[in-house]
C-alpha cells in the first residue's frame, strides 16, 4: 500500500481494533480477550499491537509524513469537553494547537491529532467506552490482552532502566520528527496555570528537531502519559471543577465569554448549557478501570524511583540531566497527583458500600507507598519485622498530605457504615490500618500537618493567591528563611492547589478524627462479639445435628426463627479470619493514634454489656409509640451492621408456608390436599376427642393440635396488636414430603430387609414404635410438639 492509501484506511483500522467511540462497534474486544480461553487470538493481538509490532510501525510511518486525524471533542472526558465547548483551553498541553472548528456544515469540534496520538487516544478511551461488551465467560481483568498491552506500553515508553527504544523508521535519517507546533485554529482562553511541556522546553535550544534523539523519547513518553491520565482520571463533578478554578481565571473566562457574545462562534448561553450538562453526567468507573489505574500508579512509582542520584554540584546537573531524567523527577507531582486525588475522592464518595471497593482501596494504598517500588531491597532478617519508612520519603508524604489525611478520613466514614462482620470488609480495615501503622509513617504525616498549620509569618498576605498554582517552580521565600518554612510553603501549596484557599483542614491526629477512630474501634469490638456469637451458635447447631436427627419425622426448622448471616454459609475458618483481621486492625489503630489500654478496656466493657444475661443479643434500639416499637437511627445502624436483630418467626398457618428446599414440591401439594380432605371430613370427631380430659384426649391433643404460639417472642415492630388464631385439631401430613423423612424411612426399610422383614411388617413396627414413643411423651411432656422443633 502507498502512504496515501495507508493514511485513508488508518482510522478504519484503529476503529476496527478498539471499537467505535459510541461503543456500538466492539472491535477486537481486547478487554475480554484472554490467553486461557482464546490462545490464538490472544497471541496474535499482542504481537500485532506490540510497541515493535506491525501496527506501531504503521503509526511511525504515518507520523513521518505529519498526517492529521480528527478526534471528536464530544467523546472526551466531561470536564475537558465542557471547557473546550466553552472555548476555554484545558491546562494540559496535549490539547494545545489541536482544537479545530468544523467547516461550514460540519458538526461539532474536533482535535487534529498526529497518528501516535490518535492511536493512543483510541486505545485509552476504549477502557471507558466499551462497557457493555458481550461476555460469555468469567473474565479476569488482570489477564486480559488490554491489561497486558497497557503494561507493555508503560514499560516501553516509561522505562525504569535505560532509555526509550527509538522508533523503527524507513527514513535515511533514522528519526521520526516530533510534532511541530501549529498556529491555533481558534482563539482560546486558558483555565489554570498550565504546564509547559518538557518537550518544548528541551527542543527550544536545539538547532534541529532531529539533532538530539532524546527529544524523540520524551515526546512519546509524555504524550502517552498525558493521554492515559486525561482519559482515565480526568473525571469529576461540576462542583469540583468550580472549586478548582482560581478567582482570576474565573474573571478571565467571564471576560472572554462577554467578548465573543456577538461573534459567529455560537451562543454562549447554549455553550454554557452544554458544559453544565456534560459536567452533570454521572461517571461510574468500573473495577477493571480502577485496576488499570492501579497498574499505572505502580509503574509510575517504579519509573520515578529509577531516577539517578543527583550530582553534588548543581552545574553538573544542568549539563548531564537528560530529558527522561527530568521527566522522572516531575512525572507524579506535575502530571498525576491532582487528577488522581480527584479521582480517588470521587470513588470514595460514590463507590457502593460493598467488597468491590477493595480495588479502589488497593490503588490508593499503592500510591501511598512509593517505597514499595524503590529499587533498593529491604534487608533480609530472620524475623519478619515491619519495615520502617525512611526519612527520605518525608518530602513525598508532605507534598501528598491530603492523599494520606483527607482520604483516610473518607475511609473512616465508609468503614463506619459497613458490616465489619463480613470477612471482606474486615480485610479492608485491616489493610488500611496495617499500611498506616508502618514504623515512622504516622510521625511523618503528623510532621506534615504541623508544617501546614504553621502561621504564615514570612509570606505576605497579598501573595496568598499564588498557592492556587500546583506548578510553582521555585520558592517565593527569601534565601534567609529557614528550610522548615520552605517545606511549610510546599505543604500549603499542595493543599491549597487541590482544595482552594477557603479549605478547612481537618487534622488526622486532631480531636474530631480521633473520635471517629474511637467509634471505629468500638464498632470493631462489637463486630468481634457478633462474629463470636455467630460462631458459638454455629458450633451448637452442628453439635445438635447428630446422626439420630435424621430419624426425626419433622423438619427441625419448619417453624424456627431466622438466624441467617453470610458467615453461616462461609464457615468457621472465615469467621476465625474475620476475628484475626479485626484484632490486628484494632492493634494497628492503637499504634497509630496512641490509644491507651484504659480506653480499649472501656470499649470492651461497653460491648460486653450489649449481651443479655442469657448471652443472647438484645433488641435493636427502639422507642415505644402508640403503634408499637419504632426503630431509632441507632437501631437502624445496628440492624444494617448486623449488631442486633429481631427474631423473625413465621406467624401464619404452618401448612401454608412456602415450600422449602428440603421438601418435594409435588408431595407437599398432594399431602396438603389429602390432609385438607381428612380435616373437612373428620373435623367434628377430632374436636370431640381433643376436648376429653382423660389420657385419650391428651394423646389426641398431642397429635392433632398445633397450638398458637404462646412463647415470649421478640416481634418485629410492625403492629402492636396481634390477633392470635387457633386453627383447631387437624391432621398434618406435610412432614412426609421432607427428603430427610423419606431417606430415613428408606434406610429403615433397607435395614429391615437384612433381617428378612418385609415392607408391611416394617411399617407395622414403625407405627408401634412411634405409638409407644407418643404415649411416653404424652405422659411427661404434653406441651411438647415434634413438628415445632
Amino acid at each position: 500500500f502507498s502512504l496515501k492509501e495507508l493514511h485513508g484506511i488508518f482510522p478504519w483500522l484503529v476503529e476496527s481494533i478498539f471499537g467505535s467511540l459510541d461503543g456500538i462497534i466492539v472491535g477486537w474486544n481486547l478487554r475480554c480477550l484472554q490467553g486461557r480461553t482464546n490462545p490464538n487470538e490472544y497471541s496474535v493481538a499482542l504481537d500485532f499491537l506490540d510497541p515493535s509490532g506491525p501496527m506501531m510501525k504503521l503509526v511511525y510511518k504515518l507520523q513521518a509524513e505529519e498526517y492529521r486525524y480528527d478526534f471528536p471533542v464530544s467523546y472526551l472526558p466531561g470536564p475537558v469537553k465542557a471547557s473546550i465547548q466553552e472555548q476555554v483551553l484545558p491546562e494540559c498541553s496535549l490539547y494545545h494547537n489541536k482544537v479545530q472548528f468544523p467547516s461550514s456544515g460540519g458538526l461539532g469540534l474536533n482535535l487534529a491529532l498526529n497518528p501516535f496520538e490518535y492511536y493512543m487516544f483510541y486505545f485509552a478511551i476504549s477502557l471507558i467506552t466499551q462497557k457493555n461488551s458481550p461476555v460469555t465467560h468469567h473474565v479476569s481483568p488482570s489477564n486480559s490482552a488490554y491489561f497486558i498491552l497497557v503494561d507493555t506500553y508503560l514499560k516501553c515508553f516509561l522505562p525504569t532502566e535505560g532509555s526509550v527504544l527509538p522508533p523503527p523508521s524507513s527514513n535515511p535519517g533514522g528519526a521520526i520528527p516530533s510534532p511541530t507546533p501549529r498556529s491555533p485554529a481558534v482563539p482560546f482562553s486558558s483555565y489554570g496555570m498550565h504546564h509547559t511541556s518538557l518537550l518544548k522546553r528541551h527542543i527550544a535550544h536545539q538547532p534541529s528537531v532531529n539533532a538530539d534523539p532524546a527529544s524523540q523519547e520524551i515526546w512519546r513518553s509524555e504524550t502517552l502519559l498525558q493521554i492515559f491520565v486525561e482519559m482515565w482520571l480526568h473525571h469529576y463533578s461540576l462542583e469540583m471543577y468550580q472549586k478548582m478554578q482560581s478567582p482570576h481565571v474565573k474573571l478571565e473566562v467571564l471576560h472572554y465569554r462577554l467578548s465573543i457574545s456577538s461573534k459567529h462562534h455560537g451562543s454562549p448561553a447554549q455553550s454554557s448549557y452544554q458544559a453544565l450538562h456534560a459536567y452533570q453526567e454521572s461517571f461510574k468507573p468500573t473495577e477493571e478501570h480502577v485496576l488499570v489505574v492501579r497498574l499505572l500508579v505502580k509503574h509510575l512509582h517504579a519509573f520515578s524511583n529509577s531516577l539517578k542520584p543527583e550530582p553534588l554540584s548543581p552545574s553538573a546537573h544542568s549539563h548531564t540531566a537528560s530529558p527522561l531524567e527530568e521527566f522522572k523527577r516531575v512525572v507524579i507531582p506535575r502530571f498525576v497527583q491532582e487528577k488522581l486525588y480527584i479521582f480517588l475522592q470521587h470513588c470514595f464518595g460514590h463507590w457502593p458500600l460493598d467488597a468491590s471497593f477493595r480495588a479502589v482501596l488497593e490503588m490508593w494504598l499503592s500510591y501511598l507507598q512509593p517505597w514499595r517500588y524503590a529499587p533498593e531491597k529491604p534487608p533480609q532478617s530472620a524475623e519478619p519485622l515491619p519495615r520502617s519508612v525512611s526519612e527520605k520519603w518525608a518530602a513525598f508524604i508532605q507534598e501528598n498530605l491530603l492523599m494520606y489525611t483527607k482520604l483516610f478520613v473518607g475511609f473512616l466514614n465508609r468503614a463506619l457504615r459497613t458490616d465489619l462482620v463480613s470477612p471482606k470488609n474486615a480485610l479492608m480495615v485491616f489493610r488500611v490500618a496495617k499500611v498506616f501503622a508502618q514504623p515512622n509513617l504516622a510521625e511523618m504525616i503528623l510532621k506534615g500537618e504541623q508544617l501546614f498549620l504553621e502561621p504564615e509569618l514570612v509570606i505576605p498576605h497579598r501573595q496568598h493567591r499564588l498557592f492556587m498554582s500546583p506548578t510553582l517552580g521555585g520558592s517565593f521565600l527569601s534565601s534567609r528563611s529557614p528550610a522548615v518554612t520552605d517545606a511549610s510553603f510546599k505543604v500549603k501549596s499542595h493543599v491549597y492547589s487541590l482544595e482552594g484557599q477557603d479549605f478547612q483542614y481537618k487534622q488526622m491526629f486532631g480531636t474530631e478524627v480521633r473520635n471517629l477512630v474511637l467509634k471505629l474501634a468500638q464498632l470493631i469490638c462489637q463486630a468481634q462479639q457478633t462474629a463470636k456469637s455467630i460462631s458459638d451458635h454455629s458450633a451448637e447447631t452442628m453439635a445438635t445435628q447428630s446422626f439420630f436427627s435424621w430419624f426425626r419425622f419433622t423438619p427441625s426448622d419448619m417453624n424456627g426463627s431466622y438466624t441467617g448471616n453470610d458467615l453461616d454459609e462461609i464457615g468457621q475458618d472465615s469467621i476465625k479470619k474475620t476475628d484475626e483481621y479485626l484484632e490486628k486492625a484494632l492493634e494497628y489503630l492503637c499504634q497509630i493514634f496512641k490509644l491507651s489500654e484504659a480506653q480499649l478496656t472501656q470499649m470492651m466493657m461497653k460491648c460486653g454489656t450489649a449481651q443479655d444475661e442469657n448471652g443472647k443479643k438484645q433488641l435493636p434500639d427502639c422507642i415505644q409509640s402508640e403503634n408499637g416499637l419504632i426503630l431509632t437511627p441507632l437501631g437502624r445502624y445496628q440492624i444494617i451492621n448486623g449488631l442486633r436483630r429481631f427474631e423473625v418467626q413465621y406467624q401464619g398457618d404452618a401448612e401454608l408456608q412456602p415450600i422449602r428446599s428440603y421438601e418435594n414440591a409435588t408431595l407437599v401439594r398432594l399431602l396438603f390436599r389429602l390432609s385438607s380432605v381428612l380435616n373437612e371430613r373428620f373435623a367434628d370427631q377430632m374436636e370431640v376427642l381433643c376436648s376429653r380430659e382423660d389420657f385419650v384426649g391428651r394423646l389426641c391433643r398431642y397429635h392433632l393440635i398445633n397450638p398458637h404460639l404462646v412463647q415470649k417472642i421478640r416481634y418485629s415492630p410492625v403492629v402492636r396488636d396481634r390477633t392470635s388464631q387457633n386453627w383447631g385439631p387437624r391432621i398434618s401430613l406435610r412432614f412426609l414430603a421432607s427428603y430427610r423423612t423419606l431417606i430415613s424411612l428408606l434406610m429403615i426399610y433397607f435395614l429391615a430387609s437384612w433381617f428378612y422383614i418385609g415392607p408391611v411388617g416394617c411399617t407395622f413396627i414403625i407405627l408401634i414404635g412411634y405409638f409407644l414413643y407418643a404415649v411416653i411423651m404424652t405422659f411427661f411432656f404434653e406441651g411438647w410438639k415434634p413438628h415445632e422443633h
Side-chain angles (χ1 to χ4, degrees):
F1 293 95
S2 64
L3 275 177
K4 187 175 182 180
E5 291 174 324
L6 293 175
H7 167 62
I9 66 171
F10 181 69
W12 168 85
L13 180 60
V14 171
E15 188 174 89
S16 300
I17 295 173
F18 301 120
S20 58
L21 296 174
D22 54 13
I24 297 178
I25 300 176
V26 178
W28 290 7
N29 200 9
L30 297 173
R31 295 167 54 244
C32 298
L33 186 61
Q34 297 203 347
R36 179 174 52 84
T37 54
N38 304 99
N40 294 331
E41 293 87 342
Y42 177 82
S43 59
V44 169
L46 291 184
D47 291 341
F48 185 76
L49 301 177
D50 188 80
S52 59
M55 188 65 186
M56 292 303 295
K57 290 180 180 178
L58 172 61
V59 169
Y60 294 134
K61 194 172 185 179
L62 296 173
Q63 184 81 24
E65 299 299 323
E66 299 188 6
Y67 285 116
R68 291 294 182 269
Y69 301 91
D70 289 339
F71 188 92
V73 169
S74 58
Y75 290 105
L76 293 175
V80 178
K81 174 175 62 176
S83 63
I84 292 179
Q85 288 174 345
E86 289 198 36
Q87 307 206 8
V88 180
L89 191 63
E91 64 176 9
C92 180
S93 60
L94 186 66
Y95 304 105
H96 294 178
N97 302 324
K98 292 185 175 67
V99 183
Q100 290 186 327
F101 270 109
S103 56
S104 58
L107 298 176
L109 295 167
N110 292 311
L111 296 179
L113 305 177
N114 63 51
F116 183 82
E117 294 169 337
Y118 187 80
Y119 173 84
M120 286 301 172
F121 259 84
Y122 262 87
F123 174 75
I125 208 169
S126 64
L127 179 66
I128 311 297
T129 57
Q130 302 292 330
K131 287 187 177 180
N132 301 320
S133 304
V135 179
T136 57
H137 57 275
H138 175 71
V139 176
S140 174
S142 59
N143 294 327
S144 67
Y146 187 89
F147 194 89
I148 300 300
L149 281 173
V150 171
D151 187 45
T152 303
Y153 290 155
L154 289 175
K155 290 178 179 177
C156 176
F157 296 108
L158 301 172
T160 56
E161 296 181 359
S163 59
V164 183
L165 294 177
S169 172
S170 58
N171 288 352
I176 303 296
S178 57
T180 55
R182 299 188 303 144
S183 59
V186 59
F188 266 77
S189 174
S190 174
Y191 76 75
M193 299 175 64
H194 59 265
H195 319 294
T196 302
S197 170
L198 291 174
L199 168 63
K200 293 178 182 178
R201 283 168 41 199
H202 180 72
I203 66 175
H205 303 287
Q206 300 293 338
S208 170
V209 171
N210 295 332
D212 185 2
S215 63
Q216 301 298 322
E217 64 177 356
I218 191 63
W219 83 258
R220 285 185 296 156
S221 301
E222 185 176 351
T223 300
L224 176 86
L225 179 60
Q226 285 182 327
I227 291 174
F228 283 0
V229 170
E230 288 295 309
M231 296 300 106
W232 297 342
L233 299 179
H234 204 162
H235 305 269
Y236 39 79
S237 63
L238 173 64
E239 292 78 15
M240 180 62 69
Y241 169 76
Q242 291 176 338
K243 185 169 66 173
M244 291 175 63
Q245 302 284 2
S246 57
H248 68 278
V249 172
K250 292 178 181 178
L251 291 175
E252 182 184 352
V253 173
L254 178 62
H255 175 74
Y256 185 77
R257 288 176 184 168
L258 294 175
S259 66
I260 64 171
S261 58
S262 59
K263 294 185 180 181
H264 66 279
H265 292 315
S267 172
Q270 180 182 4
S271 157
S272 300
Y273 172 79
Q274 292 175 349
L276 179 63
H277 176 71
Y279 281 122
Q280 290 178 335
E281 291 177 350
S282 60
F283 172 65
K284 300 176 182 178
T286 62
E287 188 173 351
E288 179 188 9
H289 182 174
V290 174
L291 290 175
V292 173
V293 173
R294 187 191 179 205
L295 175 65
L296 173 65
V297 168
K298 292 166 65 176
H299 184 84
L300 288 179
H301 274 319
F303 177 69
S304 180
N305 290 335
S306 65
L307 179 68
K308 297 177 182 178
E310 294 186 7
L312 297 178
S313 61
S315 59
H317 168 70
S318 61
H319 293 290
T320 59
S322 67
L324 189 61
E325 294 297 306
E326 290 185 18
F327 189 46
K328 291 178 181 180
R329 194 182 315 278
V330 300
V331 62
I332 290 180
R334 178 170 296 180
F335 294 95
V336 179
Q337 183 193 70
E338 179 183 20
K339 292 184 176 65
L340 181 63
Y341 172 73
I342 297 171
F343 180 80
L344 282 170
Q345 268 200 313
H346 178 86
C347 291
F348 273 58
H350 296 81
W351 202 277
L353 291 172
D354 56 21
S356 65
F357 185 72
R358 175 76 186 279
V360 179
L361 187 80
E362 294 298 336
M363 186 250 290
W364 172 49
L365 296 180
S366 294
Y367 183 82
L368 298 186
Q369 304 177 86
W371 47 87
R372 289 184 56 192
Y373 312 100
E376 65 268 13
K377 299 294 181 182
Q380 298 294 331
S381 60
E383 298 180 1
L385 297 176
R387 184 184 178 186
S388 178
V389 181
S390 173
E391 285 292 336
K392 77 173 188 177
W393 299 108
F396 178 87
I397 294 171
Q398 293 166 10
E399 294 169 6
N400 291 272
L401 185 63
L402 291 177
M403 288 284 196
Y404 290 89
T405 58
K406 187 175 181 182
L407 293 183
F408 179 81
V409 176
F411 175 76
L412 283 181
N413 291 325
R414 287 185 61 93
L416 291 172
R417 292 178 291 158
T418 55
D419 178 16
L420 297 184
V421 183
S422 170
K424 295 179 180 179
N425 291 335
L427 175 60
M428 287 192 283
V429 176
F430 163 75
R431 288 282 298 122
V432 173
K434 182 180 179 181
V435 168
F436 278 84
Q438 293 178 86
N440 203 32
L441 178 58
E443 289 76 6
M444 286 194 283
I445 296 175
L446 179 59
K447 176 64 175 177
E449 289 193 322
Q450 293 171 349
L451 289 172
F452 174 74
L453 297 173
E454 277 190 359
E456 302 171 10
L457 300 177
V458 180
I459 304 172
H461 179 71
R462 60 186 176 85
Q463 289 185 352
H464 284 185
R465 186 172 297 176
L466 292 172
F467 280 127
M468 292 301 299
S469 172
T471 58
L472 293 176
S475 172
F476 289 93
L477 308 174
S478 64
S479 59
R480 295 171 295 182
S481 303
V484 66
T485 312
D486 183 55
S488 174
F489 177 83
K490 291 181 179 178
V491 176
K492 294 175 190 289
S493 175
H494 155 71
V495 173
Y496 291 142
S497 66
L498 294 181
E499 291 291 345
Q501 279 287 82
D502 56 348
F503 175 60
Q504 298 296 323
Y505 183 75
K506 186 183 296 184
Q507 298 181 56
M508 179 175 167
F509 296 96
T511 304
E512 186 177 351
V513 177
R514 188 179 180 85
N515 291 334
L516 289 178
V517 174
L518 289 174
K519 287 183 182 179
L520 179 60
Q522 185 174 0
L523 189 60
I524 290 174
C525 294
Q526 293 174 346
Q528 286 179 304
Q529 293 286 348
T530 304
K532 184 178 183 300
S533 63
I534 293 174
S535 177
D536 294 342
H537 173 74
S538 301
E540 293 174 3
T541 304
M542 293 298 295
T544 55
Q545 290 180 350
S546 61
F547 173 79
F548 294 102
S549 65
W550 282 83
F551 295 96
R552 295 179 183 175
F553 291 94
T554 53
S556 61
D557 56 347
M558 176 68 80
N559 205 30
S561 62
Y562 172 75
T563 58
N565 187 285
D566 59 347
L567 292 177
D568 295 332
E569 302 177 0
I570 295 175
Q572 293 292 321
D573 292 339
S574 292
I575 296 177
K576 292 179 181 178
K577 275 289 185 185
T578 300
D579 189 63
E580 291 176 5
Y581 290 146
L582 294 178
E583 184 177 356
K584 294 298 291 184
L586 190 59
E587 178 184 338
Y588 289 139
L589 288 175
C590 293
Q591 294 177 12
I592 299 168
F593 292 93
K594 305 296 188 294
L595 300 181
S596 63
E597 291 291 336
Q599 291 173 315
L600 285 182
T601 304
Q602 185 179 4
M603 284 187 297
M604 294 298 292
M605 290 178 64
K606 288 182 180 179
C607 296
T609 57
Q611 303 289 327
D612 285 336
E613 60 273 10
N614 296 328
K616 296 182 179 179
K617 296 188 70 64
Q618 293 177 338
L619 288 176
D621 191 65
C622 303
I623 57 174
Q624 186 70 37
S625 69
E626 59 180 9
N627 295 323
L629 296 176
I630 297 179
L631 282 172
T632 64
L634 175 60
R636 296 191 199 97
Y637 171 81
Q638 291 168 337
I639 291 179
I640 291 173
N641 290 277
L643 303 177
R644 296 183 184 180
R645 65 187 176 201
F646 293 98
E647 293 182 9
V648 181
Q649 193 172 38
Y650 183 76
Q651 302 295 317
D653 187 357
E655 294 297 303
L656 300 180
Q657 291 186 76
I659 298 174
R660 309 297 178 91
S661 59
Y662 52 76
E663 293 178 320
N664 184 282
T666 304
L667 284 179
V668 169
R669 297 186 178 97
L670 291 177
L671 292 173
F672 175 75
R673 293 177 184 174
L674 178 59
S675 300
S676 300
V677 172
L678 294 176
N679 290 329
E680 290 177 4
R681 184 169 182 179
F682 300 106
D684 296 336
Q685 292 87 331
M686 290 189 292
E687 187 72 35
V688 172
L689 287 173
C690 290
S691 62
R692 295 173 57 170
E693 296 298 331
D694 54 6
F695 177 77
V696 176
R698 293 169 61 188
L699 185 65
C700 290
R701 285 193 295 271
Y702 175 76
H703 285 87
L704 301 178
I705 292 182
N706 180 12
H708 57 275
L709 298 173
V710 294
Q711 296 90 345
K712 294 181 180 179
I713 301 171
R714 304 174 193 184
Y715 295 105
S716 177
V718 180
V719 291
R720 180 178 59 179
D721 300 326
R722 301 178 184 276
T723 57
S724 61
Q725 298 186 23
N726 190 352
W727 303 101
R730 58 180 179 174
I731 297 173
S732 177
L733 301 175
R734 181 167 175 169
F735 69 92
L736 293 174
S738 171
Y739 290 119
R740 184 164 55 184
T741 302
L742 296 175
I743 293 175
S744 301
L745 292 174
L746 288 176
M747 291 178 63
I748 293 174
Y749 283 118
F750 178 72
L751 292 174
S753 65
W754 285 9
F755 299 96
Y756 304 100
I757 301 176
V760 177
C762 183
T763 303
F764 180 76
I765 293 174
I766 292 174
L767 293 176
I768 293 296
Y770 180 75
F771 179 77
L772 294 175
Y773 173 77
V775 169
I776 296 173
M777 298 304 295
T778 302
F779 271 116
F780 296 103
F781 306 101
E782 181 181 358
W784 183 85
K785 298 295 295 177
H787 52 279
E788 290 176 20
H789 284 287

